[in-house]
Amino acid sequence: MSVDVPSAETTNLPSDNLAENLDETSPAGLTAEQYRRKMERRKQVQQQRLAQRTQEKGLIIVHTGNGKGKTTAALGMVMRSLGHGFRVAIVQFIKGAWEPSEKAVLGHWPEQLEFHALGEGFTWETQDRDRDTAKAEQAWEVAWGYLQNPAYKTILLDEVNVALKHGFLSVDRVLAGLAQKPEHTHVILTGRGAPAALIEAADLVTEMTLVKHPFREQGVKAQPGIEF
Amino acid sequence: MSVDVPSAETTNLPSDNLAENLDETSPAGLTAEQYRRKMERRKQVQQQRLAQRTQEKGLIIVHTGNGKGKTTAALGMVMRSLGHGFRVAIVQFIKGAWEPSEKAVLGHWPEQLEFHALGEGFTWETQDRDRDTAKAEQAWEVAWGYLQNPAYKTILLDEVNVALKHGFLSVDRVLAGLAQKPEHTHVILTGRGAPAALIEAADLVTEMTLVKHPFREQGVKAQPGIEF
């Protein structure tokens, strides 16, 4: 199975490389004193790393890959934003309704959080490309409204990558929108098959990679608290 | 940079392979009628996949890798469990306090959720292996109390993989505990460097892979709502 993620090179600062070398070497054979010295050095490196990072900016964040955790990690970020008192908007591009458990949780912040489920279900449910395209464009219009409003600090475009991958929504249109977002707004775009141009434009990209899945390997069904 | 994840083979059912083939081929060149037929077939395959999955069981879930989203995806699962009305326990193995934003959010469910931060900070803060080991063992004792109690449906052992990787906590001890958990309890273990034996014992393993990170590449600092 292939995932449309180019093998981007990460460009480390020298202090990042030092930190990685210290983290990767096993502490098992060290004496207590050697361990202490190693960690003292690691702390110096960490202080250097933090001193080199001063910029604040709204991030374009992509969660892609065929593993689990793309939407759940985005929901975790939404929770942190809510905990800080930020206003947040969520637009769901594929599903037409929120899972009851998610709705119950998200409903705790009526003043801070707007959430919309503007899809009609998975592609195999509708079986109608024109309708899927119209729905995706409507969802984008709603998202675009939030993207222009600096009052919203974090905007989650859930499963939008699937709409982009299937061509229901134009990548250029979404990239043009992201380029015009307010400077301090974070936007999270989730879903399999994120297009290369989106990954290129993003600041933070994580690929969730499937290592093992009970749904596949053990005949276990989707369960409450895990999948929904 | 290496991550301690063995390249586990996923064993697909034949219907999974069919679904993947249908998902991977691009729908771009198809007529509306060809598209409709393809999606009709995809729906049949999906129904077959669901019919083959009937088992319910508590899962051992591992989030590892050097990318972001390991803890945030676990928090997203915790939220879903809370939304279902389940009781949940979280034990944090490395940090000694919750971030204020996370505390503010988790505090919404005083009846359902217990959460503890039982570490003392990152390894480079303490610089004392014996103290780190004692702390990790205390945290495990608290976790073990929850693991024996079937009233808790979901238990998150946050950053426990880091304690295992550094040898602060014995892998065998944790595996023996997991083997004795109630049948329907889900346990989520997060952190870089999950040991191979834990991955072997787990049901669901996701590796969060770093594709691009602004903290490294652009000198952007950790920001509220994203990192904390």
Side-chain angles (χ1 to χ4, degrees):
Chain A
M1 183 192 302
S2 76
V3 180
D4 303 344
V5 176
S7 61
E9 283 293 312
T10 58
T11 321
N12 281 356
L13 300 176
S15 60
D16 293 333
N17 293 331
L18 275 172
E20 275 173 19
N21 289 342
L22 286 165
D23 289 348
E24 291 299 322
T25 56
S26 168
L30 303 181
T31 65
E33 177 55 21
Q34 284 169 332
Y35 180 85
R36 193 194 61 71
R37 267 195 239 132
K38 180 181 159 168
M39 288 304 153
E40 200 175 51
R41 176 82 187 108
R42 179 67 181 80
K43 185 172 185 175
Q44 286 167 0
V45 170
Q46 191 66 14
Q47 283 164 343
Q48 214 179 324
R49 295 175 85 194
L50 293 175
Q52 285 160 346
R53 272 96 186 181
T54 50
Q55 208 194 333
E56 275 188 59
K57 64 180 270 198
L59 301 177
I60 298 173
I61 299 167
V62 174
H63 293 172
T64 193
N66 60 353
K68 288 179 59 63
K70 299 181 287 292
T71 292
T72 36
L75 289 177
M77 284 184 176
V78 162
M79 295 296 156
R80 286 184 179 152
S81 284
L82 292 169
H84 282 288
F86 298 151
R87 285 179 75 179
V88 177
I90 310 180
V91 178
Q92 161 62 255
F93 277 73
I94 298 295
K95 295 185 199 167
W98 289 98
E99 294 292 343
S101 71
E102 291 169 351
K103 206 169 170 177
V105 168
L106 299 176
H108 275 82
W109 292 268
E111 309 287 312
Q112 275 174 261
L113 176 65
E114 300 285 342
F115 57 106
H116 308 268
L118 298 176
E120 266 197 323
F122 292 103
T123 48
W124 56 79
E125 294 296 343
T126 63
Q127 302 175 13
D128 181 335
R129 187 163 46 185
D130 290 343
R131 219 161 95 181
D132 287 339
T133 302
K135 278 278 169 185
E137 287 179 353
Q138 281 168 27
W140 172 253
E141 285 304 320
V142 172
W144 177 230
Y146 289 114
L147 278 166
Q148 291 171 290
N149 185 345
Y152 289 88
K153 174 75 177 171
T154 302
I155 297 170
L156 166 56
L157 308 183
D158 199 36
E159 303 287 8
V160 68
N161 298 342
V162 176
L164 293 170
K165 181 190 172 190
H166 280 82
F168 300 153
L169 189 62
S170 138
V171 179
D172 289 345
R173 192 168 166 193
V174 170
L175 291 179
L178 292 175
Q180 292 173 65
K181 75 169 180 65
E183 194 187 339
H184 292 286
T185 302
H186 301 303
V187 186
I188 315 168
L189 303 97
T190 75
R192 291 182 182 214
L198 174 61
I199 289 175
E200 184 58 38
D203 299 292
L204 171 58
V205 180
T206 306
E207 183 186 342
M208 277 66 174
T209 309
L210 177 73
V211 179
K212 221 175 180 184
H213 197 317
F215 187 85
R216 290 169 180 276
E217 294 167 37
Q218 303 169 22
V220 173
K221 67 181 185 181
Q223 295 180 101
I226 306 297
E227 272 87 5
F228 60 91
Chain B
M1 184 189 308
S2 76
V3 180
D4 302 344
V5 176
S7 60
E9 284 292 313
T10 58
T11 320
N12 281 355
L13 299 175
S15 59
D16 293 332
N17 293 332
L18 275 170
E20 276 174 16
N21 289 341
L22 286 165
D23 289 347
E24 291 301 321
T25 56
S26 168
L30 303 181
T31 66
E33 178 55 21
Q34 285 168 331
Y35 181 84
R36 192 194 62 72
R37 267 195 240 134
K38 179 182 159 166
M39 288 304 154
E40 198 174 54
R41 176 81 186 109
R42 179 68 180 78
K43 184 172 184 175
Q44 286 166 0
V45 170
Q46 192 65 13
Q47 284 163 343
Q48 213 178 324
R49 295 175 87 195
L50 293 177
Q52 285 160 345
R53 271 100 186 178
T54 50
Q55 208 195 333
E56 275 187 61
K57 65 179 268 196
L59 302 177
I60 298 172
I61 299 168
V62 174
H63 294 172
T64 193
N66 59 354
K68 287 179 60 63
K70 298 181 288 290
T71 292
T72 38
L75 289 176
M77 284 184 176
V78 162
M79 294 297 155
R80 284 184 180 152
S81 284
L82 292 169
H84 282 288
F86 299 150
R87 285 179 75 180
V88 177
I90 310 181
V91 178
Q92 161 61 253
F93 277 72
I94 298 295
K95 295 184 200 167
W98 289 97
E99 294 293 343
S101 71
E102 291 169 351
K103 205 168 170 177
V105 167
L106 299 176
H108 275 83
W109 291 268
E111 309 288 313
Q112 275 174 262
L113 175 64
E114 300 286 341
F115 57 107
H116 309 268
L118 299 176
E120 266 197 322
F122 292 104
T123 48
W124 56 80
E125 295 295 345
T126 63
Q127 302 174 14
D128 182 334
R129 188 163 44 185
D130 291 342
R131 216 161 98 181
D132 288 341
T133 302
K135 278 279 169 185
E137 287 180 352
Q138 281 168 26
W140 172 253
E141 285 304 318
V142 172
W144 177 230
Y146 289 115
L147 279 165
Q148 291 171 289
N149 184 346
Y152 288 88
K153 174 74 175 172
T154 301
I155 297 170
L156 166 56
L157 309 183
D158 200 35
E159 304 285 7
V160 69
N161 298 342
V162 176
L164 293 169
K165 180 189 174 192
H166 280 81
F168 300 152
L169 190 62
S170 136
V171 179
D172 289 344
R173 191 168 166 192
V174 170
L175 291 179
L178 292 175
Q180 292 173 63
K181 76 170 181 65
E183 194 186 339
H184 292 288
T185 302
H186 301 301
V187 186
I188 314 169
L189 303 97
T190 75
R192 292 182 181 213
L198 174 62
I199 289 175
E200 183 57 37
D203 299 293
L204 170 59
V205 180
T206 305
E207 183 185 344
M208 277 64 176
T209 309
L210 177 73
V211 178
K212 219 176 182 185
H213 196 318
F215 188 84
R216 289 167 181 276
E217 295 167 37
Q218 301 169 23
V220 172
K221 67 180 184 182
Q223 294 180 101
I226 306 298
E227 273 87 3
F228 59 92

